[in-house]
Amino acid sequence: MSQNIILNNQEIEHKITRIAYQIYETFVDEKEIVIAGIASNGFVFAKKIALELERISTIKILLCEVFINKQNVNAPITTSLSKEKYENKGLILVDDVLNSGTTLIYGVKHFLDVPLKKLKTAVLVDRNHKKYPVKADFKGISLSTSLLEHVQVVFDEKGDCAYLS
């Protein structure tokens, strides 16, 4: 299986910084926001965005891990924070790759059950193969790929990368 690197560690760091600044501009009037990352890679990406936001702003960040069964999106979705913790706050739902939009739209649906000030989405890679009318408000890169190609994001101590196989 051949792998083509589409984002190296330095490029991913740059994308995280840019996304953090975009989030800061969008939520500049907020004292506290929630960054909700879809387990597992989405949550790793969310933590990286949160660290950068804490570095560049005074906004308090609440991190939330979102557990979605990707094989059965109708299964109950759970989060590491209770609904009361993110009620009436701005929330960014984060995932590593937006492929068909299924995971992201079911994640959005879950958060719509609670009154929020604002709900935005962020992804590192947007593949443009959507089955649902969902979009990423903040994205690192848009990539037109064939349905046979696979995008993999690897977050590793030795260096992060995203590749196409």
Side-chain angles (χ1 to χ4, degrees):
M1 178 168 60
S2 66
Q3 297 176 354
N4 298 315
I5 292 181
I6 52 178
L7 291 172
N8 64 31
N9 189 65
Q10 183 179 2
E11 291 166 329
I12 290 174
E13 286 178 8
H14 176 75
K15 303 293 185 196
I16 290 167
T17 299
R18 185 171 52 79
I19 289 169
Y21 274 105
Q22 290 173 324
I23 291 170
Y24 181 36
E25 289 170 1
T26 302
F27 292 93
V28 69
D29 295 330
E30 298 297 322
K31 291 183 180 4
E32 184 176 67
I33 61 172
V34 177
I35 299 183
I38 296 172
S40 58
N41 259 5
F43 186 63
V44 173
F45 187 46
K47 288 193 287 189
K48 290 174 179 286
I49 292 170
L51 280 172
E52 187 64 16
L53 261 169
E54 288 171 343
R55 188 185 71 78
I56 64 172
S57 77
T58 57
I59 299 173
K60 182 180 179 204
I61 309 297
L62 283 177
L63 265 174
C64 176
E65 191 165 9
V66 182
F67 302 96
I68 298 175
N69 180 340
K70 294 182 182 186
Q71 280 67 49
N72 179 12
V73 290
N74 290 316
I77 294 171
T78 58
T79 60
S80 62
L81 291 178
S82 66
K83 290 182 178 188
E84 296 76 36
K85 296 271 188 192
Y86 49 82
E87 200 170 77
N88 297 312
K89 291 188 172 67
L91 186 139
I92 303 97
L93 183 61
V94 179
D95 206 359
D96 59 340
V97 179
L98 173 54
N99 188 21
S100 68
T102 303
T103 305
L104 210 56
I105 203 155
Y106 278 91
V108 166
K109 179 182 176 278
H110 171 79
F111 286 104
L112 290 177
D113 290 338
V114 176
L116 298 171
K117 281 188 178 179
K118 195 181 292 186
L119 174 61
K120 298 288 183 182
T121 57
V123 298
L124 181 60
V125 180
D126 181 354
R127 286 199 54 203
N128 302 320
H129 290 296
K130 301 191 193 47
K131 293 194 295 189
Y132 298 97
V134 64
K135 72 176 183 76
D137 297 296
F138 313 110
K139 57 188 156 197
I141 187 173
S142 287
L143 197 62
S144 293
T145 60
S146 79
L147 290 171
L148 300 175
E149 294 172 307
H150 180 72
V151 173
Q152 179 71 40
V153 177
V154 177
F155 294 114
D156 191 287
E157 305 91 42
K158 295 177 234 159
D160 303 336
C161 75
Y163 62 87
L164 185 66
S165 56

